[in-house]
Each structure stands twice: as C-alpha cells, then as structure tokens.
Amino acid sequence: MFDDQPGWGLLTRLPARAMAHLVERANIDRWRIQGMALGPICLVGTPADLGVSIALAAKEEARRLGFSHPFAASQCGGYIGYLHRREDYRKKPGKETLGMAIYENAMGFFGREMGEELLRGVGDLLAKLRP
C-alpha cells in the first residue's frame, strides 16, 4: 500500500526464499473460500483478513446475484494475510492510520493482486450458491 511512503517497501516485501519457506511450512499454497446459503441469506468465509473494500465488494456481488442478506467472514479455515482491493494501494493513509497501513502491508504476503483473485473466487462460489 502507498508507494510514496518512505521505507514501507522494506517492511512489505519478503525475499523470495523466505516467502517460499513460509508457504511450504504453513501449507498455504492452496486456500479455500467457503460458503453457504439459506434462501436470501449467504455467508462467505475467507482465509484472510479482509480489507473493508474487499468485504463490501463481496457483499455487493452477493446482492447482485440475488442474496438480500450477505455476510463476509475473515480467517475461516486458514490464514493468508491481509487483503485489499487494487485501488486501495493507491490511497495515501492519514497520519492516524499510517502505522496500521504499514502493518497490513507487511502482512499482505501474496502481493497486491491477491485481493482481486479472492474476489473472483467469491464471485464463482456465490454464482453456484445463488437462489
């Protein structure tokens, strides 16, 4: 997040060898999105800390597909870090949220596109669950 913040790149980019080790040790090279539906209600569970815009986008997609009461849950069945939308990385945080932004970037293990990948998976799952 926030390319113009000095020093954040050091905190958010792990060397390739360290990342490969992390994936191997944590067995997170595969992740699963879970969901269930009961009439107009749906619940989607993700193995990540969802940024606000990711959760809202998932709920918006659920509404588009006919669910009137969607819920999006974090940290279900695993943990792959923090995820944000691509456009969120272009927004500069205020002074009061800079520390949190740096932390969430450091915990964004799989890069800036993973949030979009997760949303594609959520859309596919919701299409199968649609009423």
Side-chain angles (χ1 to χ4, degrees):
M1 248 178 179
F2 325 116
D3 289 329
D4 61 345
Q5 294 299 314
W8 81 269
L10 296 174
L11 295 171
T12 61
R13 293 188 183 105
L14 292 174
R17 181 184 287 173
M19 180 58 71
H21 180 70
L22 173 68
V23 169
E24 182 181 328
R25 293 268 302 156
N27 195 21
I28 55 177
D29 55 341
R30 294 176 45 99
W31 48 276
R32 176 176 52 194
I33 301 168
Q34 304 168 58
M36 60 183 239
L38 182 60
I41 301 167
C42 71
L43 171 66
V44 174
T46 65
D49 271 320
L50 299 179
V52 172
S53 63
I54 293 273
L56 292 174
K59 291 168 78 171
E60 181 179 306
E61 178 66 5
R63 286 187 185 101
R64 188 185 73 73
L65 291 170
F67 296 102
S68 57
H69 295 54
F71 296 89
S74 295
Q75 300 181 13
C76 299
Y79 185 72
I80 59 172
Y82 276 87
L83 297 182
H84 294 279
R85 300 293 313 260
R86 185 180 303 117
E87 59 268 13
D88 293 335
Y89 290 103
R90 296 184 182 103
K91 298 175 185 171
K92 184 175 181 177
K95 211 176 207 179
E96 67 282 350
T97 60
L98 181 59
M100 181 176 62
I102 291 171
Y103 171 77
E104 289 186 12
N105 275 283
M107 298 297 287
F109 304 125
F110 295 97
R112 297 176 180 195
E113 295 301 316
M114 189 58 145
E116 303 303 323
E117 186 176 334
L118 178 114
L119 283 175
R120 284 189 292 278
V122 166
D124 292 346
L125 175 63
L126 290 170
K128 292 175 185 173
L129 296 174
R130 94 166 63 181

